[in-house]
Amino acid sequence: MFELSWAHPIFFYGMPLALLPWLSQNTTKKIAWQGFIPKDNLSGILFILSKLATSIVMICLLLTLADPYIPEQTVERSRQGAEFVILLDRSRSMDDQFARPPRNTLQRYTGVKKSKREVSRDYLAEFVKRRPDDRFGYVFFSTKSTEILKLTYNKDAVLATINAGGLGRGLSQTDIFKALSLAVNMYKDQPYRGSRNILLISDGGQILSTEQKQYLQKVFKKMRLNLYWIYLRSMRGMTLEPSNNDSLLWIDMPERKLHKTFKTLGVPYQAFEAGSLDEFAQAIDEIHKQQSQPLIVEERVPKQHHHDVFLWLALLSLFPLMLSRVITVWGVKRAAHKH
């Protein structure tokens, strides 16, 4: 419920002035004997209405000067969307060219000259623009994890953060567990508004300890989190899921170990392997399609001034006063013309 406030309430002290029309006496005409004045009930009613209209005009003008307004407020509305904490890998390997062919093969044109981090930046920006009602948080991680942006509805801030993520050079190694823990803490003490998601974008993996697995399994279920991983392939032929054509070197890859761990968390989890721009775009499109569910969003309603309402009331109240004056002048002239 909106609460009306007043910028200059001192004008309320002028409200007694609205009684002046009822206290004033008409001394411009002198009648020797009131018996000469015929009784006219209609004139009496109009006389009272004119005083009432004058009082209303004065009150409305004083309320206009007091400047009524509704303060800036945050309201909850129902929309379609989700909440995302984006975890972007800032390791040095993310500075490598996206979809680069292996060094032991002939160079071929892939149509991509950007780094993995720059491609991630471009697609994330497009993803955010397509989801106007979502709330986003942003985390950079390498050996350490840094909360760059808290969960917010401010799309300009989110896009600026994503664009900044494509600048500079990457850091050393990665610690995905710290990044996931930080993302979980960003949802801590937050009311549940709808679908909660963690979107991990990385080209590496990590072997988690038993304690780390148990912790993630516990908090992910408690906070009802969904997990997405867009894995940027660095090794040609290697996939997260084992196959009959696997190399012995791939069996114990950290990426596969991490993928296997994620599948055992007992929460909705989906991995996308992006080795080309088309695969990256398909991953973003699929996440966009899946996460369009009822969501309670907070909208900031700006300060609203409402003094114009009282100005219109004053104008409408002036109209019958002006009309009565016109009728009075017309009646006097008509009577004078007859005589």
Side-chain angles (χ1 to χ4, degrees):
M1 193 68 180
F2 293 109
E3 181 181 353
L4 192 65
S5 300
W6 305 87
H8 309 292
I10 191 172
F11 286 99
F12 289 157
Y13 290 108
M15 288 298 177
L17 295 175
L19 297 176
L20 289 178
W22 304 90
L23 301 177
S24 64
Q25 297 293 330
N26 187 359
T27 59
T28 59
K29 300 176 183 178
K30 294 183 180 180
I31 306 299
W33 181 45
Q34 290 186 352
F36 289 142
I37 304 176
K39 291 185 178 180
D40 188 352
N41 294 330
L42 180 60
S43 297
I45 294 174
L46 294 177
F47 179 72
I48 294 176
L49 290 177
S50 65
K51 288 182 176 292
L52 181 61
T54 305
S55 296
I56 292 175
V57 170
M58 298 178 70
I59 292 174
C60 289
L61 292 177
L62 288 170
L63 292 177
T64 300
L65 293 173
D67 193 9
Y69 68 92
I70 296 177
E72 180 181 287
Q73 299 187 31
T74 301
V75 298
E76 291 186 348
R77 305 188 190 279
S78 178
R79 293 288 187 270
Q80 293 290 324
E83 295 183 318
F84 285 90
V85 172
I86 300 172
L87 307 182
L88 183 62
D89 192 344
R90 283 282 290 176
S91 61
R92 290 174 184 170
S93 60
M94 290 290 287
D95 292 329
D96 294 339
Q97 181 181 336
F98 181 75
R100 184 187 65 182
R103 295 193 178 115
N104 59 349
T105 62
L106 294 175
Q107 293 293 323
R108 57 186 177 87
Y109 178 69
T110 63
V112 183
K113 295 184 179 180
K114 294 182 178 180
S115 67
K116 300 174 186 176
R117 191 152 45 85
E118 290 173 330
V119 171
S120 300
R121 174 199 62 192
D122 295 342
Y123 278 99
L124 283 175
E126 183 64 27
F127 180 67
V128 170
K129 292 176 182 177
R130 293 165 62 183
R131 305 183 65 85
D133 296 322
D134 285 10
R135 193 164 70 132
F136 289 93
Y138 207 80
V139 172
F140 286 157
F141 71 93
S142 54
T143 305
K144 295 182 179 180
S145 300
T146 305
E147 180 184 308
I148 304 299
L149 187 67
K150 295 181 180 295
L151 283 163
T152 178
Y153 295 105
N154 190 331
K155 294 301 180 293
D156 291 335
V158 176
L159 291 173
T161 304
I162 291 174
N163 290 330
L167 304 176
R169 303 293 297 174
L171 305 176
S172 55
Q173 300 177 349
T174 59
D175 191 331
I176 295 178
F177 173 75
K178 287 183 179 180
L180 292 171
S181 300
L182 180 56
V184 169
N185 289 333
M186 292 174 68
Y187 284 113
K188 189 177 181 181
D189 300 327
Q190 293 280 336
Y192 188 83
R193 297 182 174 88
S195 179
R196 291 177 166 182
N197 303 274
I198 294 177
L199 175 56
L200 170 65
I201 300 178
S202 175
D203 64 346
Q206 181 180 354
I207 300 175
L208 302 181
S209 66
T210 303
E211 293 78 10
Q212 291 173 334
K213 294 178 185 177
Q214 292 175 348
Y215 171 77
L216 291 179
Q217 188 175 34
K218 178 181 177 181
V219 295
F220 269 61
K221 286 184 177 180
K222 180 180 179 181
M223 296 190 179
R224 294 184 281 178
L225 299 176
N226 306 320
L227 178 61
Y228 291 100
W229 181 16
I230 299 181
Y231 169 61
L232 308 181
R233 284 200 297 265
S234 299
M235 190 177 299
R236 186 177 184 184
M238 204 282 289
T239 59
L240 295 177
E241 293 290 346
S243 67
N244 296 329
N245 299 322
D246 279 355
S247 167
L248 294 177
L249 299 176
W250 299 345
I251 297 176
D252 292 326
M253 289 291 289
E255 291 92 331
R256 284 194 171 179
K257 294 288 186 180
L258 184 63
H259 176 59
K260 185 177 180 180
T261 298
F262 285 162
K263 292 195 296 183
T264 62
L265 293 178
V267 298
Y269 162 67
Q270 191 168 357
F272 302 91
E273 300 182 40
S276 66
L277 292 178
D278 287 340
E279 290 177 341
F280 204 127
Q282 291 171 8
I284 291 295
D285 288 341
E286 183 61 27
I287 296 173
H288 175 67
K289 292 177 183 178
Q290 292 182 11
Q291 295 302 323
S292 184
Q293 304 172 20
L295 179 71
I296 299 175
V297 302
E298 291 183 352
E299 292 186 0
R300 190 173 298 277
V301 180
K303 182 178 179 181
Q304 304 174 52
H305 291 272
H306 290 284
H307 53 265
D308 54 339
V309 175
F310 296 104
L311 280 175
W312 277 108
L313 288 175
L315 180 61
L316 292 175
S317 300
L318 278 173
F319 178 75
L321 291 176
M322 295 175 59
L323 184 60
S324 66
R325 291 298 179 184
V326 170
I327 294 175
T328 300
V329 172
W330 173 77
V332 171
K333 288 185 176 179
R334 183 180 179 186
H337 179 70
K338 287 183 179 181
H339 289 289

